[in-house]
Each structure stands twice: as C-alpha cells, then as structure tokens.
Amino acid sequence: MKKLKLILFLFSITTAVFAQDAPAPVLSLSPEHPNPGDEVTITYNAANGPLANAMYVNGVVYTFDNFKWRADDITLKAAGDKKWETKMKLSNHASFINCVFKSDTIVDRGVKFPNGYMFAQVPGSYTGWGILRSRAFQNEVPNVVHDSAYIADQVGLMWINYELQYHPESRKKIFYYGLKLKQLTSGKDEGVAIKKELRGLLADPNLDNTTQYDIQKTLFLLENPADKVFTDSVQKVLVTKYPYGVLARDRQIQKVFSETDFKTKVKLFTDFEKNFPQNKFEDVYTDYESLFYDKMVKSIVYGYIVNNKDYDYALNSVKRVSFGNLLDYHWHLVSIPFDRDHEGTEKANIDTLKKYADIFMAELENRLTFVPKMYAGKLSLKEWQEQALQMLAREYFTYAKLAEKTKNYDVEEKYLAKIKPLFGYNDATYNEVYIRMLLRKGQTADAKNYMALAAKQNQVTPEILASLKELYLKDGGAIAGFEAYLESLKSLSNIEEHKKKVISELINLPIAGFDLESSKGGRVKLADQKGKIVVLDFWAMWCGPCKNAMPGMKMAVDKYKKDENVKFYFVDTMEYIKDYKEQTQAFIKEKGFDFNVLYDGKNPKTGKMDAAYEQYAKAFKFSGIPEKMIIDANGKLRWMSNGYFGSPSELVDEISIVVEHLKAEKK
C-alpha cells in the first residue's frame, strides 16, 4: 500500500513538472503509466513549440538507466494536428527519460521544463531528474537542457534527498552527487559528512568501477589541507584493495606517460595492457584517462617510428587505440606525407601511403558503428556519426585524393560524396578534385553547373578556371568576353563585402629598403621601384602553405603581366639547405610559375638567410610565412596578409582590390 501511494505521489509530481502552464502536454507516453522494458508510443505535440511547422521530426531519447545515461535515436511520423509519434522499447531499468526533438537545425529541448518523463517506482528516477538540470554536473550528464531549465543547487539536493527517502538502496550509486550538492549549498566545509560517507563505503569489499571512481571524485571535495592525510589513506585503501582497479590504473597511466626512457616505457606499457585490459574499464572514463591515455599510447607508437623506423607497431595497434589516435595516425602517416609530396616538399611512396590509409580508414569506419565510451550516454549513434564526420573530413579528403592518384575512382567518388555537405562549393581544393571527377565521368553539364556555384562562392583554382573557360568557348562564348562572364557568376554581395573588408585593412607606413639577388639575374632594390606598385610574397621551399598559395599568386601575376607599373617579387627566405637556389628553380620550373624569385640575404646577426624577412617582421610585428606585403608607388607599405586560407580566386581578388585602389589613389 505504501509503495502504491508513493507511485501515485510521483505521478502527480510528473504531471505538475512536465505540463504546468502548457495548453497541452508536449510529451506523452502510451500506455499512460508504463514500466521499464515496456514498448511505448511517444507522442510529441509540436503545436506551440519551435517545430510547429516542421516537415519532419527526429530526435534523441536520453534514458537514466541503472544510474547511467544512454542515448537512442528516434524518428517520428506525423500523426495529425502537429503531433508526431514513434514507438520504442524502454530499457529494462529506465527510471527517467528526456526527449530532444529536431528538424534540420531547429531543436526543441523544452524551455523551463525539459521534455521528460519520470518512472517514480524505479531507483534513480529522482536522481536523473535532478542531476540533468544541475549545472554542477553539466559535464557529467547529457548537456541537452535549455539554460532556463537549470535549477539551484538547493533544489538539486532536494531531489537527491527524495531519492534517498523513497529509494534508500540507491545510496551507493548517488553519494557523490549528494555530497557535492551539499558542499555547494551549505557554503561550509562538509569534511565530516564526506569522511563518514567514504568510510562506510570502503567497508564494502566489492566496489565496482563506477563507485571506485565516484570515491576518487568525492575526495576532490575535501579542500582543507588538513584533509590530505585522510585523502592519502583512502587512496591507499583503494589501491590496496583493488590493485587492478580504477585508481591503480590512473596511476599507472601517469607513470607510463611520464617515463622518459623508451625501453622502460615500452616494458611498463606492456605490463599495463596485461594488468588493465581495456574491456574491463568500458564503464568508466576518468579525468586521468582523458588527459593522458591517448598521449601515453602515442608516445609508444611514435617512439617505435622515431627510434626504430618501425611502422608495424602502429599498423598492428589500430584495434586497440582510440578514435582520436586513429585520426592522428592517418594525419601524420598519410595526410602529411601526401601533402608534402603534392607540394613538392618531400617525396613519398604513394603505394605505402595507400597501404597505411586502407588499414586506418577501415578501422575508422568501423568506429562509426558504435559510440566511444568518452561520449557514451551523451551522444546518440547518429549524433556521434555527425560529430565524427566533422573530425574525419580532412582525412576523408586525403583518402579521396589518394584514391584518385591510384586510379581507385569508385573509392574517390564515395569519399568525396561523404564530405560534400561540408566542403562542396566552399573549398577551392575540394572543388577542383570534385570537378575533375565529374569531367572524367563525362558529366559536363553537372561540372559546368558546379563550377558556376564554386565561382559564386569565389572558391576556384586556375585548373577550374581553365576548364570553365574551355566549356565557355565550346558553348560559343567569345574569348574576349570570358572575364565578364566569370564576374557575372560571382555574388555581388560577396564581392562588395570582401572589397570593404580588404580596404578596411589598408595601412600607410614607411618601409625600409632591400637589395636582393634575383633568380632572373642581377639584383633588385626596393629603392628602384618608386612609381610602381610592388607586391612581395615571403615564402620558403619547406613551407606547405606558401606553395599552396602560389596558384592564386600566379593568377595575380598573370592578371598584371602586361602592367609595367605592378611588380611581383617572391622572396625566398629562411632556407637552410646548401642547394636551395637550385631546388627553388627546379620547383618553379616544374610548376610552370613565371615568378621573379628574390633570395633573402644573410642576416649579419645570426648568419641565417632571413635578413629582409627579419627586418620587416620586427618592424611590422608579424611572424610566419607566407607573408604578403604591398607597397605603393610612393614607397609606403599599404597592406599585409599573413597565412593562406585556401582559395586562389579569393587571394587574387584581394591582391587586385588593393592594387586597383592604389592605382585610383595615384590618379
């Protein structure tokens, strides 16, 4: 009878909590009072919310199940009157569920009250409802409630006390939440209560991983220096009673990570993997693991590569390492060498890169079939896949380019399609590869339409322009009208916004001269350029972004090739190899760039080949290359730009905006 009264009391709370002032409940379940494990119909009433006019609705159900969160995707079907429905089977220990509904980028997570439902008869119900809305735990629970739904710490503690009152058996599962909220609400040292609770817990001989870690987290609530003896004693008990437990594992992670001798580190890591197998710790993710585990593994993997030239260890470890480390493998062992090979910085064996990429990519794809433990309960599978796509996009693009180079065109097309929602039209390099694929497949009309949209976003390369020009001429366009045609494709609002931004960056500063050797013979002095607009581009053979920017600079050079009053000089700086001049000339010739390269002079202070660069870097407070500088006809520095942001057409427009502005000033 007492239990029945409790259930009825709780249902009255849920009615008050979830339907206070709304004309109709946002969330309802059928049957009306289900039990864990039941199949239920979830009905979402969107009439008065942000999804009232949605064409489709999907979402995520976050369940507090046996004191752990889980997240499940749902797809709803229209049920009339702006209502949406779906069926799902509740988990066997569900004590509380919270629903977030979505359509495109619009999300309904509730406002003051989340879209939740409490199963009062189940241990954890009060706790789930309380901690979901407590800021104190926002990094430990699904971060899905509206800002206005957060409650005061005192209210959160009230819900924990309800849990203890009606489900006293929950104590071992919720002590950390209660003690933390008690500490926050009392405003005083709660060391006595904390110590009493922990002493009672330590008497239990069978603490699971979660409880062990909750004890570790609770120890951090003891802020008084006098509590250190107690903290040390508790940690000693944990390590002694659980030599292969959570705290022992944390300490071993730190020990392996900190070890400087590589052979010793390998031995420690081998023992660590034997004593602390990952499958025994899938239910807990500690701060130490978050901070040091991946770094520990990378120090071993890359130690083998650096010390022993052994890449097999990395290849053989793919099943055991994290998603983040797999990404790092692909980036360092595939993407970087591939990009350096493409830039002409360092030759790579493409067959070897493909071998590595195939192994890493197969496992990365496998990791998309389940949510990693660091996101367990916080992201649904679909949410994880969406987040992972953002993380994978760069590596997917490398994999597509590698597939193109090795003539695996089906693979190339597959991976270009995966990242098209992220890169399509808005990334010049991606656009070039994608258009090349369309043209190779004979999809000329699609390629032309794609080029037009890429041009509208000002994300085109010289190769794209050449292809667009060829199609334009084939369609009967006059060669003299191509530039006007190209300009007609661009967005006028984007052009004006870009122009306004570049003009706002103009400066007017005196600049010291230089006297540098030219690749075309003789020397070039800045003092001799009076009356001319001078564009300087500081670069180096070892600088990938510098080389990536050169197609755009070539477009600018070609645009002003017949204008004797605009001069481009490419200052090769900070080189450190003896034959850099020969290598520079070979690179320029290979790429077909007709550039006037100037070789930076020797710095009398350091002996490095960076005399002009260092002088300007100090005077104008910049660092790094590529560095663009434009000097007006009066010998004043008028514009600077550091780095390269990926669009050749955007770069040539920037140069052109400044040059044309300076020409107009002169008139």
Side-chain angles (χ1 to χ4, degrees):
M1 186 67 181
K2 183 178 178 182
K3 187 172 183 181
L4 177 61
K5 288 181 180 178
L6 170 62
I7 292 171
L8 292 174
F9 167 69
L10 256 294
F11 285 137
S12 69
I13 287 179
T14 57
T15 301
V17 166
F18 300 131
Q20 272 199 353
D21 297 320
V26 172
L27 174 72
S28 59
L29 303 187
S30 178
E32 187 176 356
H33 303 308
N35 293 305
D38 287 352
E39 182 175 78
V40 298
T41 298
I42 295 176
T43 301
Y44 167 54
N45 186 348
N48 297 301
L51 302 185
N53 299 314
M55 301 299 292
Y56 70 91
V57 175
N58 52 40
V60 180
V61 177
Y62 300 90
T63 304
F64 199 50
D65 177 280
N66 203 17
F67 299 91
K68 287 188 176 296
W69 292 97
R70 55 179 290 173
D72 296 289
D73 294 299
I74 54 172
T75 300
L76 295 92
K77 295 181 179 180
D81 296 328
K82 298 187 181 298
K83 292 181 180 179
W84 300 80
E85 289 184 351
T86 191
K87 291 183 182 293
M88 73 171 289
K89 187 178 186 296
L90 296 171
S91 60
N92 291 331
H93 300 94
S95 58
F96 173 79
I97 63 170
N98 186 71
C99 300
V100 174
F101 302 105
K102 308 176 184 180
S103 185
D104 292 326
T105 59
I106 304 174
V107 179
D108 184 352
R109 59 186 76 239
V111 186
K112 187 174 181 181
F113 296 106
N115 304 315
Y117 192 95
M118 185 186 292
F119 302 90
Q121 71 274 30
V122 184
S125 53
Y126 295 93
T127 300
W129 175 238
I131 65 175
L132 185 73
R133 299 176 300 142
S134 294
R135 288 192 186 276
F137 308 112
Q138 63 181 346
N139 294 323
E140 302 176 52
V141 303
N143 188 11
V144 295
V145 301
H146 192 275
D147 282 347
S148 63
Y150 283 112
I151 55 179
D153 294 330
Q154 292 91 335
V155 180
L157 184 59
M158 176 193 76
W159 287 102
I160 297 297
N161 285 329
Y162 279 154
E163 181 77 39
L164 291 173
Q165 181 179 355
Y166 297 111
H167 297 293
E169 69 273 25
S170 299
R171 191 178 194 97
K172 193 165 73 172
K173 298 289 187 180
I174 67 168
F175 70 91
Y176 161 67
Y177 301 121
L179 290 171
K180 184 169 183 176
L181 288 171
K182 186 173 183 179
Q183 181 94 305
L184 290 170
T185 56
S186 72
K188 61 182 182 180
D189 185 359
E190 293 291 345
V192 173
I194 292 170
K195 291 174 184 177
K196 180 180 178 181
E197 192 73 30
L198 294 185
R199 287 190 183 103
L201 284 162
L202 290 171
D204 189 326
N206 296 302
L207 298 178
D208 61 21
N209 286 340
T210 302
T211 308
Q212 290 177 43
Y213 187 47
D214 283 346
I215 290 174
Q216 289 179 226
K217 291 189 291 183
T218 303
L219 288 174
F220 283 106
L221 301 177
L222 295 171
E223 299 175 345
N224 193 323
D227 294 326
K228 186 177 186 305
V229 173
F230 177 81
T231 297
D232 290 345
S233 68
V234 170
Q235 291 176 339
K236 184 176 181 180
V237 170
L238 285 174
V239 172
T240 302
K241 290 180 70 173
Y242 305 98
Y244 302 111
V246 178
L247 180 57
R249 180 175 182 263
D250 276 353
R251 289 184 169 180
Q252 196 64 18
I253 289 172
Q254 187 178 30
K255 184 177 181 180
V256 178
F257 172 74
S258 301
E259 178 58 54
T260 56
D261 179 76
F262 184 66
K263 288 185 178 179
T264 304
K265 185 189 285 280
V266 170
K267 174 64 169 60
L268 289 172
F269 184 65
T270 301
D271 292 341
F272 172 85
E273 289 193 299
K274 178 181 177 181
N275 294 328
F276 303 97
Q278 291 185 61
N279 62 357
K280 296 285 183 67
F281 296 90
E282 287 299 318
D283 57 346
V284 65
Y285 187 66
T286 71
D287 286 343
Y288 264 100
E289 182 175 0
S290 172
L291 289 170
F292 299 112
Y293 185 87
D294 278 3
K295 294 175 183 176
M296 170 186 73
V297 173
K298 282 196 287 189
S299 69
I300 299 291
V301 170
Y302 293 128
Y304 271 104
I305 293 172
V306 172
N307 297 325
N308 305 329
K309 305 299 181 192
D310 180 0
Y311 291 81
D312 288 341
Y313 191 89
L315 301 176
N316 294 332
S317 70
V318 294
K319 297 290 183 184
R320 308 195 308 274
V321 301
S322 70
F323 182 86
N325 272 3
L326 276 173
L327 271 179
D328 198 77
Y329 287 5
H330 196 279
W331 168 240
H332 281 99
L333 303 183
V334 180
S335 290
I336 290 177
F338 181 85
D339 289 344
R340 287 178 175 172
D341 181 81
H342 178 72
E343 294 157 2
T345 304
E346 184 179 339
K347 290 295 182 184
N349 185 310
I350 298 301
D351 290 337
T352 299
L353 296 188
K354 183 180 183 302
K355 170 189 170 184
Y356 293 172
D358 287 345
I359 293 171
F360 299 148
M361 196 56 66
E363 184 57 28
L364 283 166
E365 295 281 24
N366 178 55
R367 300 301 178 89
L368 299 181
T369 62
F370 60 91
V371 180
K373 74 172 183 175
M374 66 184 296
Y375 299 116
K378 296 181 179 180
L379 297 178
S380 69
L381 181 60
K382 184 178 179 182
E383 288 175 322
W384 159 240
Q385 291 169 344
E386 290 170 350
Q387 180 170 309
L389 177 61
Q390 300 281 342
M391 301 163 71
L392 278 164
R394 180 182 64 187
E395 307 315 312
Y396 276 171
F397 191 29
T398 297
Y399 197 56
K401 290 184 287 185
L402 185 58
E404 180 190 34
K405 200 171 184 70
T406 55
K407 294 184 170 53
N408 292 291
Y409 296 130
D410 289 345
V411 173
E412 177 202 13
E413 186 171 358
K414 173 184 174 181
Y415 283 89
L416 288 178
K418 282 177 179 283
I419 58 175
K420 189 179 180 184
L422 301 179
F423 286 4
Y425 311 113
N426 296 312
D427 183 281
T429 307
Y430 175 88
N431 293 341
E432 180 176 287
V433 178
Y434 193 84
I435 289 166
R436 200 157 56 225
M437 178 197 72
L438 291 176
L439 291 173
R440 185 180 63 244
K441 294 175 66 179
Q443 298 176 1
T444 307
D446 290 340
K448 187 176 180 180
N449 290 335
Y450 192 100
M451 289 183 218
L453 291 168
K456 184 176 181 179
Q457 298 301 320
N458 209 6
Q459 295 289 323
V460 298
T461 66
E463 180 181 318
I464 295 173
L465 286 179
S467 297
L468 182 60
K469 188 173 185 178
E470 182 180 346
L471 293 178
Y472 168 79
L473 296 176
K474 280 184 178 179
D475 289 342
I479 191 166
F482 179 70
E483 289 299 325
Y485 166 70
L486 180 61
E487 288 300 311
S488 73
L489 297 176
K490 296 181 180 179
S491 165
L492 291 177
S493 61
N494 287 351
I495 291 172
E496 289 304 316
E497 185 179 338
H498 192 201
K499 184 175 181 179
K500 184 178 180 180
K501 176 181 179 295
V502 173
I503 295 300
S504 72
E505 297 169 348
L506 291 177
I507 54 180
N508 196 336
L509 299 172
I511 182 169
F514 60 74
D515 181 351
L516 300 175
E517 178 187 353
S518 168
S519 62
K520 293 184 177 294
R523 303 185 70 82
V524 171
K525 298 179 182 179
L526 182 59
D528 294 339
Q529 310 300 312
K530 287 289 180 68
K532 294 179 172 56
I533 295 169
V534 176
V535 181
L536 300 179
D537 184 356
F538 286 88
W539 71 290
M541 279 292 290
W542 47 263
C543 172
C546 300
K547 293 178 174 181
N548 291 337
M550 284 186 170
M553 292 304 294
K554 180 183 185 301
M555 291 165 68
V557 169
D558 290 345
K559 181 173 182 177
Y560 290 101
K561 195 166 189 177
K562 296 180 180 179
D563 192 333
E564 288 296 322
N565 291 316
V566 181
K567 296 295 182 182
F568 288 80
Y569 298 109
F570 293 78
V571 184
D572 185 24
T573 187
M574 294 186 281
E575 298 287 12
Y576 53 86
I577 55 175
K578 290 183 179 180
D579 63 342
Y580 70 90
K581 293 181 183 179
E582 289 79 4
Q583 288 199 27
T584 298
Q585 286 301 307
F587 169 74
I588 294 296
K589 183 178 180 181
E590 177 190 348
K591 297 297 182 181
F593 298 148
D594 186 19
F595 292 167
N596 191 342
V597 176
L598 306 183
Y599 302 112
D600 207 345
K602 182 180 288 188
N603 190 325
K605 297 177 184 177
T606 64
K608 296 180 181 179
M609 308 304 291
D610 65 354
Y613 173 81
E614 187 196 37
Q615 175 182 233
Y616 292 153
K618 285 184 176 180
F620 304 113
K621 297 179 173 54
F622 64 80
S623 63
I625 52 176
E627 173 70 26
K628 311 286 189 293
M629 306 174 77
I630 298 182
I631 301 163
D632 68 15
N634 297 315
K636 294 292 184 69
L637 177 62
R638 302 302 304 277
W639 184 76
M640 300 189 303
S641 176
N642 189 261
Y644 177 61
F645 305 102
S647 171
S649 58
E650 197 168 65
L651 176 57
V652 71
D653 280 357
E654 285 181 346
I655 301 292
S656 301
I657 289 167
V658 178
V659 169
E660 295 305 319
H661 182 84
L662 298 183
K663 282 184 176 183
E665 271 189 350
K666 188 176 179 182
K667 293 178 182 178

